Amino acid sequence: MTTSTSNRGSNPIWAFIDANLRGAGQVMFMNNPITGALIIVAIIWGAVAAKTPEVAIGAVVGVVVGTATAMALRVDTASLRQGLYGFSPLLTGAAVPTFLGNSVVMWVYLIIGAATTTVVTLAISNVFNTWGVPALTFPFVLTSWFLMLAAYQFHQIKISSLTAPMLARPVAGTSLDLSAADLVTSMLKGVAQVFLIGNWVSGLIILIGLAVNSRWAAALAAAGTIVATLLAVGLKGDETSITAGLYGFSAVLTAIALGCVFYHPSWPVLVYALLGTVFTLFVQAALNTALAPVGIPSFTGPFVFATWLFLLPKRDLTPVPHHKHIDDGVLTGTHPKA
Amino acid sequence: MTTSTSNRGSNPIWAFIDANLRGAGQVMFMNNPITGALIIVAIIWGAVAAKTPEVAIGAVVGVVVGTATAMALRVDTASLRQGLYGFSPLLTGAAVPTFLGNSVVMWVYLIIGAATTTVVTLAISNVFNTWGVPALTFPFVLTSWFLMLAAYQFHQIKISSLTAPMLARPVAGTSLDLSAADLVTSMLKGVAQVFLIGNWVSGLIILIGLAVNSRWAAALAAAGTIVATLLAVGLKGDETSITAGLYGFSAVLTAIALGCVFYHPSWPVLVYALLGTVFTLFVQAALNTALAPVGIPSFTGPFVFATWLFLLPKRDLTPVPHHKHIDDGVLTGTHPKA
Amino acid sequence: MTTSTSNRGSNPIWAFIDANLRGAGQVMFMNNPITGALIIVAIIWGAVAAKTPEVAIGAVVGVVVGTATAMALRVDTASLRQGLYGFSPLLTGAAVPTFLGNSVVMWVYLIIGAATTTVVTLAISNVFNTWGVPALTFPFVLTSWFLMLAAYQFHQIKISSLTAPMLARPVAGTSLDLSAADLVTSMLKGVAQVFLIGNWVSGLIILIGLAVNSRWAAALAAAGTIVATLLAVGLKGDETSITAGLYGFSAVLTAIALGCVFYHPSWPVLVYALLGTVFTLFVQAALNTALAPVGIPSFTGPFVFATWLFLLPKRDLTPVPHHKHIDDGVLTGTHPKA
């Protein structure tokens, strides 16, 4: 992955801005402030077009609060500068105003949530470092699931657009009469929905931002949303979700992560990434069913779970065999300390 | 943390009683048999006042069965003497008669549940030792969730006071007309609800028991229930839950754990513990929503999840960066064993 | 555990068949191609008798796809030959046609699911190797949960026999008027239900297949289904589930795993395995309640969770004590990298 190291001067204000821009880029694994800046532009464009500027403001507040919290906790400086403590809080900051009603309480909730997302980033990173895999956006997913679920229990935190808890049913078979133009805008929206933005122009800006740093990432993002959207259409998924780009965004992230970030691109890797991308779509559909009774969206959870499962396999792995007794089990042999 | 080491003589009966009393204290991190004895007194007081003496008997049976099971499994003797294998079974023993109907079957179920809680304590401790954090009360939470969920499937195990499975809805806005005296008793009940006791006198006895061993612990317990209760009132949570102390008990445990047990008290630690305590309230509200469709309470789960997330961050952590290829991945490089 | 090493010649076709037969045996921890062949016979017998031959075909396709995927990923050769990459995909292959409607799409879904199950086997093995315990059938359980949940969201994937999402209620008290013959056939079906087959003759064939490799395994399998079925009857569980053998199969696997596979048989081990088997029944009942709102079966999840909890306790374990400060916590001491 190309790494832009310019502009990392001694000016603390610019260094802070640089870390935050990289944080925006790191949602899509791009350690590049220009990519990050274009992503911020895309978020603002989409939020303003949808007349929900609070989503863009929330995203910016989120990344700033998250990065500042990391500084207050005196975390590893190199990771901080690369934006690794900013990207999950940015998403928490975008999610809260997307689903909860605008009020002073909501903004305080968002700031506490963004600060907590940084703590959770440190916690999840510690756990998953054990197996050499990253925390991905799980700190955002976990924290925001808590924040959304909790909103149901407090009258002062208003729910604006969560789907009320309900039991899932098999989706009805519809005609899915999509034109080629519908398909393309759905796919572009799929890219933008990584940031909870349902706007195809924003998706295009983000693809350009990716290409600035890595053409592989841009190509894989496009491939991810194309594969997931076409597969969802072919399997006759819910039309509203497809046209909103909601089946695309987790697949986009999986395709980039498996295809060029954590593995070098090659034919075997691309086949593996394709399987992982297809599986991401199934995990997303699965979480739609599983989370329906509790009234929260899956966020980027499908990307996280599928990508973890496809990154954890190691080449020198020897599973615990089924004929081996556990020597140090509580019932085995002598107890030296007893 | 002050550690009382007196009374640990060679008399095996007294040593067993001492380990059980410390087990009662260890629910709140106090390795002190006097604290444990006062906690048992508080449980008995509250259970008798509510005309549910079976809850107090269950708690005592739980800690004894749990400690005896640990002895039968010949576990680490030092931890056994400190009560570390008794505190989760004590809570399982209090929970079963609180929610299930009194019968011979229930008592057998409680004893099997308490013995299993010790096995689960060993299992969860093994897993979380990997990251240097304790199992906390998760063995109680996990085992008791299984026991409660299972009760729905067996006609011979009667459910007495679980809320039937239902989908959550946004909580209605009520006036919350609480007097200062209501608030204080709610807060004291919050302390007692750690042991599933809704009695403010019991809460006061427990605070005294804490102060015997650690004034910091007593002060933080009080602060935890004050912060959580006031915040729940301010956010307009469910009035019945607030006045029963149900929003206080997990916050109490988080405040003690983060504020003085696993970190030394200091201003940064107190700010961090405050954030953790506030987050505990959000996790508790979240679990109320998430567990509603399956008809079980959250127990001390909110404390466990929030405290784990706030203990896991380490100062020398370097997360897996987003530009690093996974060298030992299944698709990477040569396979030496193939 | 006896290990049959014959027939592992240099002929690659026979070696592949051998690995797949062992894969069938490894579902029940038997590294023996004859046991595996008898299990395949039992699956075919039961599937044909129920006029669902697609279940047997699915099982065979599953193990072959799973083993082939492992070869393509160039995994550890010894484990591959022992069938350790085939047993979970076999179960995925049996589960998909059991619950989803027969169609071309279903078969493609099954093949993708079986290949993914092998990836998930590698992932889960990596994680649980950390604590010296095996992945068991969790890769099957996890992947198949995703596949079943996802089916609700795609009109082209037809659900044939999943119970629609519903909230659990306390089970009604029925008379449970079972004859001795009913009980015996229920218990034998319990053995066969490991492979999603509700046929008592199949259960008998499987017991014979176990005895070929290990008389302890056969005896413990019988004991597991006897204990679980009698206990479910005694506690008045749902009669339809009991007579279909659905309360037996997870207990069978736990009894074998704890009683003679991962520990040497002895009196303490048998008592421990009995507690684990009883707990497995409770976990199964618990998952029935917990999964009802999302409309999926528990598969062998109860066996996995109970067996993990009973294998993880180690004799030299020292839990993190409650009086120890966390030295390397984010708020503790100096930050060398800051």
Side-chain angles (χ1 to χ4, degrees):
Chain A
M1 196 86 336
T2 311
T3 302
S4 169
T5 54
S6 61
N7 298 328
R8 199 186 284 168
S10 53
N11 180 336
I13 292 171
W14 175 248
F16 185 75
I17 293 170
D18 183 71
N20 280 284
L21 290 175
R22 288 171 196 269
Q26 289 285 13
V27 174
M28 302 184 92
F29 309 102
M30 300 295 107
N31 179 16
N32 186 314
I34 298 164
T35 304
L38 283 166
I39 284 173
I40 300 280
V41 168
I43 293 172
I44 293 171
W45 176 280
V48 169
K51 296 185 179 152
T52 53
E54 64 272 19
V55 174
I57 299 168
V60 173
V61 171
V63 68
V64 168
V65 168
T67 304
T69 304
M71 290 174 68
L73 293 172
R74 289 183 297 161
V75 298
D76 161 53
T77 309
S79 303
L80 180 77
R81 285 188 180 157
Q82 289 167 15
L84 289 177
Y85 296 109
F87 70 90
S88 272
L90 180 148
L91 293 172
T92 300
V96 168
T98 299
F99 296 107
L100 304 182
N102 203 342
S103 71
V104 172
V105 171
M106 184 276 279
W107 287 101
V108 175
Y109 200 54
L110 186 156
I111 289 168
I112 294 173
T116 306
T117 303
T118 293
V119 174
V120 175
T121 298
L122 288 158
I124 302 296
S125 296
N126 181 11
V127 172
F128 281 86
N129 268 10
T130 308
W131 305 289
V133 299
L136 302 173
T137 54
F138 190 61
F140 148 62
V141 173
L142 183 64
T143 309
S144 295
W145 277 349
F146 284 139
L147 295 176
M148 296 298 131
L149 288 166
Y152 286 97
Q153 304 295 329
F154 297 120
H155 189 65
Q156 288 290 70
I157 302 174
K158 304 293 185 192
I159 290 166
S160 61
S161 63
L162 293 172
T163 305
M166 55 185 293
L167 298 174
R169 303 153 164 269
V171 74
T174 51
S175 57
L176 282 179
D177 198 13
L178 298 173
S179 68
D182 288 341
L183 273 178
V184 171
T185 52
S186 300
M187 290 165 180
L188 286 170
K189 285 182 194 170
V191 177
Q193 287 286 12
V194 170
F195 301 91
L196 300 106
I197 297 291
N199 184 299
W200 69 267
V201 176
S202 298
L204 205 56
I205 298 171
I206 293 167
L207 284 179
I208 294 167
L210 291 173
V212 165
N213 190 59
S214 160
R215 289 185 192 169
W216 268 112
L220 283 158
T225 196
I226 290 169
V227 165
T229 304
L230 289 182
L231 190 56
V233 169
L235 292 173
K236 292 196 179 174
D238 173 57
E239 185 165 1
T240 311
S241 300
I242 292 171
T243 53
L246 292 177
Y247 274 125
F249 66 95
S250 268
V252 162
L253 292 171
T254 302
I256 301 174
L258 296 180
C260 73
V261 173
F262 297 108
Y263 294 117
H264 286 276
S266 70
W267 280 114
V269 163
L270 292 176
V271 172
Y272 191 73
L274 177 64
L275 182 61
T277 303
V278 169
F279 187 60
T280 301
L281 181 73
F282 297 158
V283 175
Q284 177 143 10
L287 288 186
N288 288 354
T289 300
L291 297 178
V294 297
I296 55 171
S298 60
F299 294 130
T300 52
F303 147 65
V304 171
F305 300 138
T307 299
W308 273 344
L309 290 171
F310 277 70
L311 288 181
L312 282 166
K314 296 297 162 73
R315 71 171 179 227
D316 57 353
L317 178 75
T318 308
V320 173
H322 279 180
H323 57 271
K324 196 187 161 199
H325 292 283
I326 292 181
D327 290 333
D328 59 345
V330 76
L331 288 173
T332 318
T334 56
H335 286 250
K337 294 185 186 177
Chain B
M1 196 82 341
T2 310
T3 301
S4 168
T5 56
S6 60
N7 298 328
R8 200 187 281 166
S10 53
N11 182 334
I13 292 171
W14 174 247
F16 185 76
I17 292 170
D18 183 71
N20 280 284
L21 290 175
R22 287 172 196 268
Q26 289 285 12
V27 173
M28 301 184 92
F29 309 102
M30 301 294 107
N31 181 16
N32 186 313
I34 298 165
T35 304
L38 283 166
I39 283 172
I40 300 279
V41 168
I43 293 171
I44 293 172
W45 176 281
V48 169
K51 297 188 178 153
T52 54
E54 63 271 20
V55 173
I57 300 168
V60 172
V61 171
V63 68
V64 168
V65 169
T67 304
T69 304
M71 289 174 70
L73 292 172
R74 290 184 295 162
V75 299
D76 163 53
T77 308
S79 303
L80 180 76
R81 287 190 179 155
Q82 289 168 13
L84 289 178
Y85 296 109
F87 71 90
S88 272
L90 181 148
L91 293 172
T92 301
V96 169
T98 299
F99 296 106
L100 303 182
N102 202 342
S103 72
V104 172
V105 171
M106 183 276 278
W107 287 101
V108 175
Y109 200 55
L110 186 155
I111 290 168
I112 295 173
T116 305
T117 303
T118 294
V119 174
V120 175
T121 298
L122 288 158
I124 302 297
S125 296
N126 182 10
V127 172
F128 281 86
N129 269 9
T130 308
W131 304 291
V133 300
L136 302 173
T137 54
F138 190 61
F140 149 62
V141 172
L142 183 64
T143 309
S144 295
W145 276 348
F146 283 140
L147 296 176
M148 298 297 131
L149 287 167
Y152 286 96
Q153 304 294 328
F154 297 120
H155 189 65
Q156 288 290 73
I157 302 174
K158 304 294 184 191
I159 290 167
S160 62
S161 63
L162 292 173
T163 305
M166 56 185 292
L167 297 174
R169 303 153 165 269
V171 74
T174 51
S175 56
L176 284 177
D177 197 13
L178 298 172
S179 68
D182 289 340
L183 272 179
V184 171
T185 55
S186 300
M187 290 166 180
L188 286 170
K189 285 182 194 171
V191 176
Q193 287 285 11
V194 170
F195 301 90
L196 300 105
I197 298 290
N199 184 300
W200 68 268
V201 177
S202 299
L204 205 56
I205 298 171
I206 292 167
L207 284 179
I208 293 166
L210 290 173
V212 166
N213 191 59
S214 160
R215 289 183 193 170
W216 267 112
L220 284 158
T225 196
I226 290 169
V227 166
T229 304
L230 289 182
L231 190 55
V233 168
L235 292 173
K236 292 197 179 173
D238 173 58
E239 183 165 3
T240 311
S241 301
I242 292 171
T243 52
L246 292 177
Y247 274 125
F249 66 96
S250 268
V252 162
L253 292 171
T254 301
I256 301 173
L258 296 180
C260 72
V261 174
F262 298 109
Y263 294 116
H264 287 275
S266 70
W267 279 114
V269 163
L270 292 177
V271 171
Y272 192 71
L274 177 64
L275 182 61
T277 303
V278 169
F279 188 59
T280 300
L281 181 75
F282 297 158
V283 174
Q284 177 143 6
L287 288 186
N288 288 354
T289 300
L291 297 177
V294 297
I296 53 171
S298 60
F299 294 130
T300 51
F303 148 64
V304 171
F305 301 139
T307 299
W308 274 343
L309 290 171
F310 275 71
L311 288 182
L312 282 166
K314 297 298 161 75
R315 70 172 178 229
D316 57 353
L317 178 76
T318 308
V320 173
H322 279 180
H323 57 270
K324 195 186 163 201
H325 292 284
I326 292 181
D327 291 332
D328 59 346
V330 77
L331 288 173
T332 319
T334 56
H335 287 249
K337 295 184 188 178
Chain C
M1 197 83 339
T2 311
T3 302
S4 168
T5 56
S6 62
N7 297 326
R8 199 187 282 168
S10 53
N11 182 335
I13 292 171
W14 175 249
F16 184 75
I17 293 170
D18 184 72
N20 280 284
L21 290 175
R22 288 171 196 269
Q26 289 285 13
V27 174
M28 303 184 90
F29 308 102
M30 299 296 106
N31 179 16
N32 186 315
I34 299 165
T35 303
L38 283 166
I39 283 172
I40 299 280
V41 168
I43 293 172
I44 293 171
W45 176 281
V48 169
K51 297 187 177 150
T52 53
E54 64 272 19
V55 173
I57 299 168
V60 173
V61 170
V63 68
V64 168
V65 168
T67 305
T69 303
M71 290 174 69
L73 292 173
R74 289 183 297 162
V75 299
D76 162 54
T77 309
S79 303
L80 181 75
R81 285 188 180 156
Q82 289 168 13
L84 289 178
Y85 296 109
F87 71 90
S88 271
L90 181 149
L91 294 172
T92 301
V96 168
T98 298
F99 296 106
L100 303 182
N102 202 341
S103 71
V104 172
V105 170
M106 184 275 278
W107 287 101
V108 175
Y109 200 54
L110 186 156
I111 289 168
I112 294 173
T116 305
T117 303
T118 294
V119 174
V120 175
T121 298
L122 289 157
I124 303 296
S125 296
N126 182 11
V127 172
F128 281 86
N129 269 9
T130 308
W131 305 290
V133 299
L136 303 175
T137 54
F138 190 61
F140 148 63
V141 172
L142 183 64
T143 309
S144 295
W145 277 348
F146 284 140
L147 295 176
M148 298 297 130
L149 288 167
Y152 287 96
Q153 305 293 328
F154 297 121
H155 189 66
Q156 289 290 73
I157 301 175
K158 303 294 184 191
I159 290 166
S160 61
S161 64
L162 292 174
T163 305
M166 55 185 291
L167 297 175
R169 302 153 164 271
V171 74
T174 51
S175 56
L176 282 179
D177 197 12
L178 298 172
S179 68
D182 289 341
L183 272 179
V184 171
T185 53
S186 299
M187 290 166 180
L188 285 170
K189 284 183 194 170
V191 177
Q193 286 286 12
V194 170
F195 301 92
L196 300 105
I197 297 291
N199 184 300
W200 69 268
V201 177
S202 298
L204 205 56
I205 298 171
I206 293 167
L207 284 179
I208 294 167
L210 290 174
V212 165
N213 190 60
S214 160
R215 288 182 193 171
W216 267 113
L220 284 158
T225 195
I226 289 169
V227 165
T229 304
L230 289 183
L231 190 56
V233 168
L235 292 173
K236 293 198 179 174
D238 173 57
E239 184 164 4
T240 311
S241 301
I242 292 171
T243 53
L246 293 176
Y247 273 126
F249 66 96
S250 268
V252 162
L253 292 170
T254 301
I256 301 174
L258 296 180
C260 72
V261 173
F262 297 110
Y263 293 117
H264 288 276
S266 70
W267 280 114
V269 163
L270 291 177
V271 171
Y272 192 72
L274 177 65
L275 181 62
T277 303
V278 169
F279 187 59
T280 300
L281 181 74
F282 297 157
V283 175
Q284 177 143 9
L287 288 186
N288 288 355
T289 300
L291 297 177
V294 297
I296 54 170
S298 60
F299 293 130
T300 52
F303 147 65
V304 171
F305 300 139
T307 299
W308 274 344
L309 290 171
F310 276 71
L311 288 181
L312 283 166
K314 296 299 162 70
R315 71 171 178 228
D316 56 352
L317 178 77
T318 308
V320 174
H322 279 179
H323 56 271
K324 196 186 161 200
H325 291 284
I326 292 182
D327 290 334
D328 58 345
V330 77
L331 287 173
T332 319
T334 57
H335 286 250
K337 295 184 185 178

